[in-house]
Amino acid sequence: MKKYISEIKPPKVSIAPMVDRTDRHFRYFARLLTKRALLYTEMTTAQAIIHGDRNMLLDFDVVERPLALQIAGCDAKNIGKAVKIAEDWDYDEINLNIGCPSDRISGNDMGASLMAYPELVRDIVKETRRNTNKPITVKHRIGIDGKGILPDSFERTLLDKYEDLKNFVDIVGQSKVDRFIVHARIAILAGLSPKENREVPPIRYEDVYKLKRDYPHLNIEINGGIKTIKEIENHLNHVDGVMIGRSAYDTPFILAEVDKFFEGGKVNNISRREVIEGLMQYLSNLDTNTKPHNVLKHTMGLFHGVKGSKRWRQIIIPPWDKDVVDILKASLETLPKETLDARPMF
């Protein structure tokens, strides 16, 4: 059988979809720092798109692009319907969540539990492809421990070997997935919180590297515990792309360096002063129903590890005694100038 080779060039760096993190305000903040990394929506269920407030769920600002919509579900027809609805918003990519370890998600036959049903995932991708010509990607784990979630009728509820991962990719790959985004840990579907699932199962980067070696024609992106620019650089020696999550949120200024990994790219030569000025402009244009705290809470780590970190956190935490834009403007006079004006390329 002829191998499917995607013609879609994968992003060298993307920022993971994170619950209660990657909303439109965070994406605007991130886009000030990186112009080329692929951004994601928060995970949205197919049912929510079909029956919920579509404008609230799907609207975004054009400055956020390139932007992928991440969808969760377990019914191919419903996911196809949701994708067809989302076509009106013109996202750059559709991503299927086959990796969320939350009891609430996996207990409803979504997220990482679907790794036990690779034929269903394959059919979901096929149905998705019938409803869009956008790139379709699958985000998943290297395996799962499904005890307590998967039906007793399953002969094996522990699918944690490399051979299990290979079998999943073999079957799902029949649907011509444009990219596999692989979190290099198994998901323990019962007994651990999502946070614990990012920390307790051991990281197994070599499994993802081996996947790329065994399937050189597939686009493979690695995810899980990646914190520094040097780590990104090292991973790119083995795979096509790197997805970063909590480090992009906790230490966001590293995002100013990631554009250099793209073809013809270079560091986004921006200072924290210019980021704050961009935030001031954004806050000035917000509708009156949006609380400034919902924007600024995402910037807590802007001064992480450098002089001025404590002062910045004090500035952005309410209550405020005057207009927050005026407070930010005044902060440019009180924050350390050497930190405000430092640029990532120096």
Side-chain angles (χ1 to χ4, degrees), residues 238-301:
H238 302 278
V239 293
D240 300 294
V242 174
M243 174 179 279
I244 56 176
R246 302 292 152 168
S247 59
Y249 197 86
D250 296 337
T251 57
F253 204 62
I254 70 167
L255 296 178
E257 296 188 55
V258 301
D259 289 0
K260 70 181 181 182
F261 294 114
F262 290 77
E263 184 177 350
K266 56 185 178 179
V267 169
N268 182 24
N269 187 26
I270 193 169
S271 67
R272 289 178 177 84
R273 181 188 299 275
E274 290 163 341
V275 171
I276 293 170
E277 288 170 346
L279 290 168
M280 289 162 56
Q281 181 179 0
Y282 182 70
L283 287 161
S284 297
N285 294 327
L286 280 180
D287 63 76
T288 55
N289 294 323
T290 302
K291 296 178 180 179
H293 174 63
N294 290 337
V295 177
L296 293 177
K297 67 181 181 181
H298 297 306
T299 74
M300 194 75 70

Side-chain angles (χ1 to χ4, degrees), residues 9-298:
K9 185 171 289 190
K12 288 297 183 181
V13 180
S14 66
I15 300 176
M18 295 177 280
V19 175
D20 297 327
R21 298 289 190 273
T22 48
D23 60 18
R24 66 188 67 178
H25 306 310
F26 172 75
R27 294 194 298 266
Y28 182 88
F29 172 51
R31 193 53 82 206
L32 290 171
L33 292 158
T34 169
K35 304 305 179 185
R36 301 189 67 177
L38 178 66
L39 305 183
Y40 281 79
T41 67
E42 295 181 82
M43 180 183 66
T44 307
T45 66
Q47 289 292 94
I49 293 172
I50 294 169
H51 300 293
D53 184 337
R54 296 170 184 173
N55 290 330
M56 183 188 74
L57 292 169
L58 298 174
D59 282 356
F60 63 90
D61 192 301
V62 67
V63 301
E64 299 170 33
R65 301 183 73 167
L67 179 63
L69 171 65
Q70 187 182 73
I71 297 180
C74 60
D75 182 281
K77 293 294 183 185
N78 277 346
I79 290 179
K81 186 175 181 180
V83 167
K84 189 171 184 178
I85 290 168
E87 282 290 275
D88 288 342
W89 278 260
D90 196 28
Y91 283 89
D92 295 286
E93 178 180 296
I94 302 298
N95 176 258
L96 301 174
N97 183 308
I98 316 295
C100 180
S102 158
D103 287 352
R104 181 174 60 85
I105 298 298
S106 290
N108 286 295
D109 295 326
M110 295 187 290
S113 65
L114 289 179
M115 287 198 71
Y117 306 92
E119 292 84 3
L120 173 57
V121 177
R122 176 196 62 199
D123 294 344
I124 288 172
V125 176
K126 286 182 176 179
E127 184 64 26
T128 302
R129 195 169 292 286
R130 279 191 277 268
N131 288 280
T132 185
N133 60 2
K134 304 290 173 56
I136 300 167
T137 63
V138 173
K139 187 176 187 296
H140 59 95
R141 293 278 182 138
I142 58 172
I144 56 172
D145 179 349
K147 185 177 180 181
I149 295 292
L150 297 177
D152 293 337
S153 58
F154 263 64
E155 182 180 347
R156 293 175 60 216
T157 57
L158 183 61
L159 303 169
D160 68 336
K161 303 292 189 293
Y162 176 74
E163 290 71 23
D164 298 316
L165 172 62
K166 193 169 184 291
N167 180 64
F168 177 82
V169 170
D170 273 334
I171 294 172
V172 177
Q174 296 167 9
S175 61
K176 301 182 179 180
V177 174
D178 287 291
R179 188 167 75 259
F180 289 89
I181 304 157
V182 191
H183 187 133
R185 291 185 175 92
I186 70 164
I188 298 174
L189 302 185
L192 291 186
S193 68
K195 181 178 186 296
E196 290 168 328
N197 259 297
R198 294 193 300 271
E199 299 168 351
V200 174
I203 203 85
R204 288 161 43 187
Y205 293 136
E206 184 55 41
D207 282 20
V208 188
Y209 298 165
K210 182 170 172 41
L211 194 67
K212 179 60 186 177
R213 292 196 298 269
D214 289 346
Y215 298 91
H217 59 289
L218 294 181
N219 288 329
I220 305 293
E221 184 173 358
I222 198 167
N223 173 230
I226 301 165
K227 297 179 180 178
T228 68
I229 295 296
K230 184 63 177 176
E231 289 173 17
I232 294 172
E233 188 174 1
N234 289 340
H235 285 302
L236 287 173
N237 291 323
H238 302 278
V239 293
D240 300 294
V242 174
M243 174 179 279
I244 56 176
R246 302 292 152 168
S247 59
Y249 197 86
D250 296 337
T251 57
F253 204 62
I254 70 167
L255 296 178
E257 296 188 55
V258 301
D259 289 0
K260 70 181 181 182
F261 294 114
F262 290 77
E263 184 177 350
K266 56 185 178 179
V267 169
N268 182 24
N269 187 26
I270 193 169
S271 67
R272 289 178 177 84
R273 181 188 299 275
E274 290 163 341
V275 171
I276 293 170
E277 288 170 346
L279 290 168
M280 289 162 56
Q281 181 179 0
Y282 182 70
L283 287 161
S284 297
N285 294 327
L286 280 180
D287 63 76
T288 55
N289 294 323
T290 302
K291 296 178 180 179
H293 174 63
N294 290 337
V295 177
L296 293 177
K297 67 181 181 181
H298 297 306

Side-chain angles (χ1 to χ4, degrees), residues 306-321:
V306 296
K307 192 175 179 181
S309 179
K310 182 178 179 180
R311 177 64 185 138
W312 175 249
R313 292 195 303 271
Q314 292 171 338
I315 289 166
I316 64 172
I317 294 175
W320 298 294
D321 59 1

